[in-house]
């Protein structure tokens, strides 16, 4: 007897490396925002490149919280970036890409409205 409802998600992160992230069976080697089954390529390759245009792309995914993977190491986003999301009532949590993958996977399994951003150098 099945005790839980399981929907296999093609875009769940399987592996995280310095130059990419494996979403399902595909390796993505460029920065990307993911929400549910939506995948949005981003032009930013680092936290310094994350501009308002990228933030608008992320917000358009419709998530209540954004898990921001800042690369292989944690970097604190600028106050202006944090306030941009806060003014739109979108939560923002920053961490390295590996932690972002783990956190987003848990949030997805709970059915939460969350997006994840992986900032990648390529």
């Amino acid at each position: 007897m099945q005790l839980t409802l399981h929907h296999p998600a093609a875009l769940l992160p399987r592996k995280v490396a310095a130059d990419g992230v494996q979403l399902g069976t595909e390796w993505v080697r460029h920065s990307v925002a993911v929400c549910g089954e939506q995948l949005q390529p981003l032009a930013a390759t680092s936290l310094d490149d994350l501009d308002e245009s990228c933030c608008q792309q992320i917000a358009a995914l419709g998530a209540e919280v954004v898990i921001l993977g800042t690369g292989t190491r944690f970097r604190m986003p600028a106050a202006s970036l944090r306030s941009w999301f806060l003014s739109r009532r979108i939560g923002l949590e920053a961490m390295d890409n590996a932690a972002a993958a783990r956190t987003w996977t848990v949030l997805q399994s709970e059915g939460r409205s969350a997006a994840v951003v992986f900032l990648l150098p390529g």
Side-chain angles (χ1 to χ4, degrees), residues 9-50:
L11 296 179
L12 281 179
R14 303 290 180 215
K15 294 180 185 175
V16 177
D19 65 342
V21 61
Q22 184 181 6
L23 298 173
T25 59
E26 300 296 320
W27 275 93
V28 176
R29 306 236 183 245
H30 54 80
S31 295
V32 65
V34 183
C35 185
E37 296 298 317
Q38 301 176 73
L39 186 138
Q40 179 68 50
L42 299 173
T45 58
S46 72
L47 192 56
D48 298 328
D49 296 338
L50 202 57

